[in-house]
Amino acid sequence: MSDFGLFVNPKDGGKVIELTKDSFPLSFIKKITVNARNPSRYERRKVFRVPGLSQYDVVIVPMALANFWAYGSIDILLVESYWVSGDDFICEYRPFYDDSGYIPGSDGDSHFILYGTLKNNPSDTYGLFLNSSANSAVDNFRGVTQDNTISHCVFREKINIGDRGAWSLPSNIPNKGDACVFLRPENGQTLRYERSSQRVLSSGAGDVYVVIFSHGLNLQPSDGLTIWNREGKVTYSSDYAPFFKNGHTLTLDKSNRARSTFAKPMFTMDDPGNWLENERNSVNIYLAGLGVSGSEILGRRMWTRSSYPGQAGYDILKRVFASTYVIDFNDYF
């Protein structure tokens, strides 16, 4: 444990949570859905204005960066980069042709969930402030205040999923469409989370550790720390573990691997596209998913989804085009 900070025993009975200057909660800012054809059909760069975004140190959680479309041959529609500039969230596609339709498993949408911590707490705010020492500058404080919309851990358990089985998010998860689902399989399985159906699919049977963060929880006063906003609504309760700013983003390389600095990373992965293989005069379309091996995240083929009469370029065959935000298993279990 750290020498100073706030130590929370959440009511789910899970691991003690430390709130310190280095592990502070993230607030939910906005979920953004991007489509190459909207609003400007042929522009690779898309810009979204988010008022007040510049006030935050922003964490971007990317999802479903790759889609595939076809007209005789299959091509990829890939978000290559994304960043924040002032109050704008910006993303850019790699060069593409506007083909006529999507193959099964692609709908053209990519998603980003923006979280953040306020760079400076307003002078009239109140709450809990964390700093490295009594002599540090005031604006180095990280606050849990009445102005935050903290993203809380609303579910963390070990579950079991059978081979080619599915597990649905519990019905009591608030704002399930915006929920951030982190997974770590224990028995070599390959997993994917499908946001449209709000299910985790598994290739291979075994145990899976699941952590889900969401906002909009109907918080009640707790026996520990409770913070109310000006309207009298509870905005923070130490009954729940918060989503920490303690993760990083990984992008799979051409060998479908990425290594985390965490010994046991948990990944978030929404609809990680397809795995394509040419066979004679058609393309076999498989579900794609992620697995783990120690500190590595692995992109893998799952089971057959469909086929397409045509061919796909060699640069997109047997690849999982994905980025994933990872958290430390040991922070939550």
Side-chain angles (χ1 to χ4, degrees):
M1 283 190 176
S2 304
D3 293 330
F4 56 88
L6 176 72
F7 306 98
V8 178
N9 289 294
K11 72 176 183 180
D12 66 4
K15 189 171 184 177
V16 172
I17 301 302
E18 301 180 39
L19 299 182
T20 72
K21 68 178 181 65
D22 296 316
S23 59
F24 40 85
L26 290 168
S27 293
F28 173 84
I29 300 174
K30 187 178 181 64
K31 179 188 172 190
I32 292 176
T33 297
V34 181
N35 190 289
R37 288 173 167 163
N38 298 309
S40 299
R41 185 167 184 148
Y42 297 106
E43 290 185 1
R44 292 171 51 204
R45 179 171 292 188
K46 309 295 183 182
V47 180
F48 298 83
R49 176 57 55 94
V50 183
L53 189 63
S54 59
Q55 300 174 29
Y56 289 86
D57 289 325
V58 179
V59 170
I60 304 172
V61 177
M63 302 172 181
L65 298 186
N67 283 271
F68 297 90
W69 49 11
Y71 183 75
S73 62
I74 295 177
D75 196 8
I76 191 171
L77 184 63
L78 178 66
V79 178
E80 275 193 321
S81 58
Y82 48 88
W83 65 96
V84 167
S85 177
D87 279 355
D88 292 334
F89 170 79
I90 306 167
C91 67
E92 189 165 285
Y93 289 87
R94 86 174 194 177
F96 62 86
Y97 296 101
D98 193 356
D99 287 326
S100 60
Y102 297 104
I103 67 173
S106 290
D107 61 7
D109 290 340
S110 295
H111 309 280
F112 301 88
I113 302 183
L114 308 184
Y115 298 92
T117 56
L118 283 169
K119 296 176 182 178
N120 298 291
N121 289 299
S123 58
D124 63 343
T125 196
Y126 57 89
L128 171 72
F129 301 92
L130 303 165
N131 208 345
S132 56
S133 71
N135 297 321
S136 296
V138 171
D139 39 284
N140 287 334
F141 277 88
R142 297 295 179 174
V144 183
T145 75
Q146 89 275 11
D147 296 307
N148 297 147
T149 308
I150 299 296
S151 185
H152 289 90
C153 178
V154 294
F155 184 93
R156 58 169 164 173
E157 290 186 19
K158 181 171 72 174
I159 63 171
N160 189 277
I161 308 177
D163 184 27
R164 297 203 178 190
W167 177 82
S168 297
L169 266 61
S171 59
N172 61 349
I173 301 295
N175 295 300
K176 284 200 286 187
D178 297 339
C180 205
V181 180
F182 289 89
L183 307 169
R184 184 174 176 88
E186 285 293 290
N187 305 103
Q189 313 98 295
T190 300
L191 306 172
R192 61 183 282 138
Y193 174 59
E194 297 200 323
R195 184 167 295 275
S196 58
S197 63
Q198 298 171 347
R199 299 187 306 163
V200 177
L201 306 183
S202 178
S203 177
D207 293 332
V208 180
Y209 285 93
V210 181
V211 175
I212 302 174
F213 298 99
S214 194
H215 64 100
L217 195 63
N218 183 22
L219 298 172
Q220 301 298 321
S222 71
D223 292 334
L225 174 68
T226 300
I227 297 175
W228 290 263
N229 64 14
R230 295 177 180 87
E231 289 72 42
K233 182 179 179 181
V234 176
T235 58
Y236 177 81
S237 166
S238 56
D239 276 349
Y240 296 91
F243 187 6
F244 291 123
K245 187 178 182 180
N246 187 33
H248 51 266
T249 302
L250 301 175
T251 299
L252 301 187
D253 61 20
K254 292 182 179 179
S255 65
N256 296 315
R257 293 174 175 269
R259 184 178 296 277
S260 172
T261 56
F262 299 137
K264 295 183 69 174
M266 300 185 73
F267 58 80
T268 181
M269 177 47 60
D270 284 27
D271 298 323
N274 294 302
W275 176 290
L276 306 179
E277 295 187 13
N278 286 336
E279 183 174 339
R280 296 181 182 176
N281 296 319
S282 65
V283 181
N284 282 340
I285 304 170
Y286 299 87
L287 293 175
L290 295 184
V292 297
S293 176
S295 63
E296 279 194 313
I297 306 297
L298 309 174
R300 294 176 178 150
R301 186 182 85 176
M302 297 178 74
W303 56 83
T304 303
R305 182 201 291 274
S306 185
S307 64
Y308 180 81
Q311 294 285 285
Y314 285 102
D315 61 329
I316 62 175
L317 293 176
K318 300 181 181 180
R319 289 281 307 276
V320 179
F321 292 88
S323 293
T324 176
Y325 190 80
V326 297
I327 61 174
D328 191 350
F329 174 92
N330 293 311
D331 279 346
Y332 294 96
F333 291 99

